[in-house]
Amino acid sequence: MSTPWLDTGDNAWQLTAASLVALQSVPGLVVLYAGWVKHKWAINSAFMAFYAFCMVLICWVVFAYKAAFGEYMLPFVGVPGTALGINYQLKQSTLPSAALIQNFPQATMIYFQFVFAAITLVLVAGSYLCRMNFFAWMIFVPLWLTLSYTVGAYSLWGGGFLFKLGVIDYSGGYVIHLSSGTAGFVGAYWIGPRIREDLEDNTPNNILVMLVGAGILWIGWNGFNGGDPYAASADAGVAVLNTNICTALSSLIWVGCDLAYYKRPSVIGAIQGMITGLVAITPAAGVVAGWGAVCLAVGSGTIPWFFLNIAGRKWAFFQAVDDTLDVFHTHFVGAIVGGFGTGLFATVEGCAAFGIANPGGAVAGNGRQVWVQIVGALFIIGWNAFWTTAIMLFIKYVLRVPLRMSDADLLIGDYAIHGEEPYTFAHYNRLLLAPRGRGNDGSGELGLTGILEGRDPIPDIRREEEERDMKIEQDRSQSMRLKRLNEGGVAKVD
């Protein structure tokens, strides 16, 4: 098959960028979530992200890709169809409704756009962790992808009405972050809060693992923003540089706000500031100058900080919703900062390099771009709020699948849902340090622990085993008691 249109450099960069974005979800957000929650929710939280990644891919190639990037059907969605045929995958990539052609195969475009769809659902999960019924999540993912994500993607990127209106969303500030922030907050309202025990004690179980996930997320964003010119172009380089400028400065500003308000720097705060910087630069990455990235960082390091640390803890509106990982504050608010900032700081040269006809933003004399960005944001917020609500109610009242786990399962966590627990290696590693062949009468050689500490560790290990077994039995007994109360219709008092 002759491919005179193929630019091997563009194809190589596009596949590399797609792989970087895929790594943001698996393992990036998988391990970030696992470390961010209490240890009893590490497996469930990681698995929600992992499941979403798998399910989105299957839906994407079966029908969703063409709904988001295919032929025109309605002003906000394309004609659904499969993307599995070999001839379709091998041909030159095109976005028919947007009248765009790329110098790489359609298969490359399908995969590149898939990783963006997948990470959107993974981000939504961050609001639902530590209490959403996993079976409800399994149903929610394909429904939300179909009814919500594809519409935003087609409207803004695939050639839909917002694309034609001139809304600038370079890499997904609206399509991904504003939609996930909206869906996360609205869905969290319908699911309900975590149990009191988890609300009062929600200490992350492994901040070092969080930093690993955060690092993967940050570096992966080079592909997230750098891949959207659909070419290994000069504008891709600008997007990557601006992404890192905004992210670094936003994280530093957030830490500075923590120092000023709490009198101490926070690692979790640094990660939150990193995330808001990544989110805010996303709609603007390749169309603003470096100073525009700096201005966006100032906004992303302060405005979301205020909403999370002040408004989120004092305003009744936010107190009514349990958004587990504060996705609303980081992604919704960060996307608003970025989208509005794009309308202000977009440059004529950046727009031209990106291949769009917009004459820059307000600083370039195009004040129209500001209200165009506002219109785009309002549509994404309204559409996602409606369909997230509709899907949640459909799952709960039509399919009769509870959105929230039972209190009995919530008390136990991972073991109740998956029959698995994190960090089980610790117990067995300690046994390896114990003496081998040592009799009950104390005969035999001391193990490594005994040599290092000058004592026999066996009595302590046995005592801790007994306490652990007793605790597990108490949790199971309490779980069974709560289930009997539920079955008998007896009201519980927290």
Side-chain angles (χ1 to χ4, degrees):
M1 180 178 179
S2 177
T3 56
W5 42 263
L6 179 64
D7 186 311
T8 54
D10 287 352
N11 193 39
W13 168 238
Q14 209 65 32
L15 289 171
T16 301
S19 298
L20 286 170
V21 179
L23 288 169
Q24 289 182 293
S25 292
V26 181
L29 287 170
V30 168
V31 299
L32 180 64
Y33 288 178
W36 205 326
V37 297
K38 293 177 66 174
H39 78 279
K40 75 172 187 177
W41 291 116
I43 290 174
N44 182 257
S45 300
F47 194 22
M48 283 181 70
F50 192 86
Y51 164 81
F53 191 84
C54 297
M55 177 56 75
V56 169
L57 177 57
I58 301 307
C59 295
W60 197 244
V61 297
V62 171
F63 63 88
Y65 171 75
K66 288 189 176 180
F69 294 95
E71 299 284 350
Y72 174 91
M73 183 172 74
L74 294 169
F76 51 84
V77 70
V79 179
T82 64
L84 294 169
I86 186 64
N87 290 330
Y88 180 73
Q89 293 176 353
L90 285 172
K91 74 172 189 174
Q92 184 175 9
S93 173
T94 62
L95 302 180
S97 296
L100 296 175
I101 300 174
Q102 297 78 41
N103 293 324
F104 47 75
Q106 195 73 55
T108 300
M109 179 63 83
I110 294 167
Y111 185 74
F112 180 76
Q113 297 298 351
F114 147 68
V115 294
F116 285 86
I119 199 171
T120 307
L121 267 300
V122 175
L123 293 173
V124 172
S127 293
Y128 305 163
L129 300 180
C130 307
R131 86 278 199 185
M132 187 177 189
N133 180 4
F134 194 83
F135 297 106
W137 175 243
M138 293 176 73
I139 300 167
F140 177 87
V141 168
L143 289 178
W144 193 86
L145 173 73
T146 304
L147 298 171
S148 192
Y149 182 83
T150 57
V151 170
Y154 183 85
S155 298
L156 281 158
W157 289 341
F161 78 103
L162 293 177
F163 176 87
K164 291 180 170 63
L165 183 64
V167 179
I168 300 175
D169 188 8
Y170 192 90
S171 289
Y174 287 177
V175 175
I176 295 169
H177 301 294
L178 190 59
S179 64
S180 61
T182 303
F185 192 78
V186 173
Y189 169 81
W190 290 110
I191 295 167
R194 289 166 283 177
I195 58 174
R196 184 179 302 170
E197 171 190 313
D198 288 349
L199 287 170
E200 293 174 352
D201 177 16
N202 57 5
T203 305
N205 75 87
N206 197 324
I207 293 179
L208 294 178
V209 167
M210 286 179 63
L211 282 170
V212 171
I216 296 171
L217 194 65
W218 182 343
I219 303 308
W221 226 281
N222 291 339
F224 197 105
N225 288 346
D228 270 291
Y230 301 146
S233 65
D235 196 51
V238 171
V240 170
L241 178 59
N242 283 341
T243 296
N244 285 270
I245 291 171
C246 185
T247 303
L249 183 55
S250 178
S251 183
L252 293 172
I253 291 172
W254 193 292
V255 171
C257 291
D258 281 344
L259 279 168
Y261 190 77
Y262 296 111
K263 309 304 180 187
R264 61 187 180 191
S266 165
V267 173
I268 297 176
I271 293 173
Q272 296 279 30
M274 176 205 81
I275 292 172
T276 57
L278 292 168
V279 171
I281 194 62
T282 293
V287 298
V288 298
W291 58 262
V294 170
C295 292
L296 287 170
V298 173
S300 66
T302 55
I303 298 173
W305 184 93
F306 168 81
F307 273 90
L308 195 156
N309 292 279
I310 307 299
R313 287 164 170 74
K314 295 183 179 180
W315 294 2
F317 175 77
F318 295 116
Q319 292 294 309
V321 178
D322 179 18
D323 180 357
T324 309
L325 299 186
D326 299 312
V327 175
F328 178 89
H329 302 295
T330 53
H331 293 271
F332 181 99
V333 178
I336 293 295
V337 171
F340 186 78
T342 302
L344 291 175
F345 305 122
T347 63
V348 175
E349 297 82 359
C351 290
F354 186 43
I356 57 178
N358 304 59
V363 296
N366 180 28
R368 174 184 179 273
Q369 194 62 48
V370 175
W371 72 258
V372 167
Q373 296 297 114
I374 294 172
V375 169
L378 291 175
F379 174 77
I380 293 296
I381 294 168
W383 186 271
N384 282 279
F386 174 82
W387 281 107
T388 301
T389 296
I391 292 168
M392 289 293 184
L393 296 179
F394 174 77
I395 293 171
K396 183 176 181 178
Y397 293 110
V398 178
L399 300 183
R400 300 290 181 177
V401 176
L403 298 174
R404 187 175 180 269
M405 301 178 204
S406 68
D407 284 356
D409 287 343
L410 289 172
L411 280 170
I412 298 173
D414 287 336
Y415 191 81
I417 295 93
H418 305 290
E420 298 164 321
E421 295 181 87
Y423 312 128
T424 53
F425 58 81
H427 171 71
Y428 298 104
N429 284 349
R430 289 178 61 222
L431 284 180
L432 289 174
L433 296 177
R436 299 183 181 182
R438 192 171 177 82
N440 289 331
D441 59 356
S443 61
E445 297 181 357
L446 289 175
L448 180 57
T449 301
I451 294 172
L452 294 176
E453 299 183 6
R455 63 182 181 83
D456 187 349
I458 283 291
D460 289 341
I461 292 176
R462 286 176 176 166
R463 183 171 59 255
E464 291 180 14
E465 285 177 342
E466 291 173 358
E467 291 174 353
R468 178 175 177 272
D469 291 342
M470 185 178 300
K471 179 67 167 57
I472 292 173
E473 186 59 33
Q474 288 173 347
D475 288 343
R476 288 175 178 167
S477 298
Q478 188 174 10
S479 173
M480 292 302 296
R481 182 175 64 83
L482 287 171
K483 284 183 178 179
R484 286 196 296 271
L485 288 172
N486 287 334
E487 291 168 359
V490 180
K492 302 186 298 299
V493 178
D494 290 332

